[in-house]
Amino acid sequence: MTAALLDRLTHRCHIFEMNGESYRFRESVKAGKKTKAAGEGKTADPRAASTQKV
């Protein structure tokens, strides 16, 4: 059923294959690096900090 629906939708369509780098992916990687660098040495769970040896 799904194959028939896709066949009807794409019968007269031009399909573009985009292989470039995604803007959203690039920005999410940047944001992930910033939060990782800011969070180094800190734990997300306050209970985990009490169990760590100093």
Side-chain angles (χ1 to χ4, degrees):
M1 178 99 171
T2 305
L5 178 66
L6 287 174
D7 185 49
R8 288 179 182 253
L9 288 173
T10 59
H11 177 66
R12 293 185 180 251
C13 293
H14 296 282
I15 300 174
F16 295 99
E17 186 175 336
M18 308 290 277
N19 292 328
E21 187 176 281
S22 167
Y23 170 77
R24 290 182 180 177
F25 179 71
R26 184 176 62 228
E27 293 300 314
S28 68
V29 169
K30 278 186 196 177
K33 286 181 181 178
K34 286 180 184 177
T35 57
K36 185 177 179 182
E40 281 187 13
K42 298 179 183 178
T43 58
D45 186 8
R47 293 175 289 162
S50 63
T51 60
Q52 292 178 351
K53 292 182 180 181
V54 179

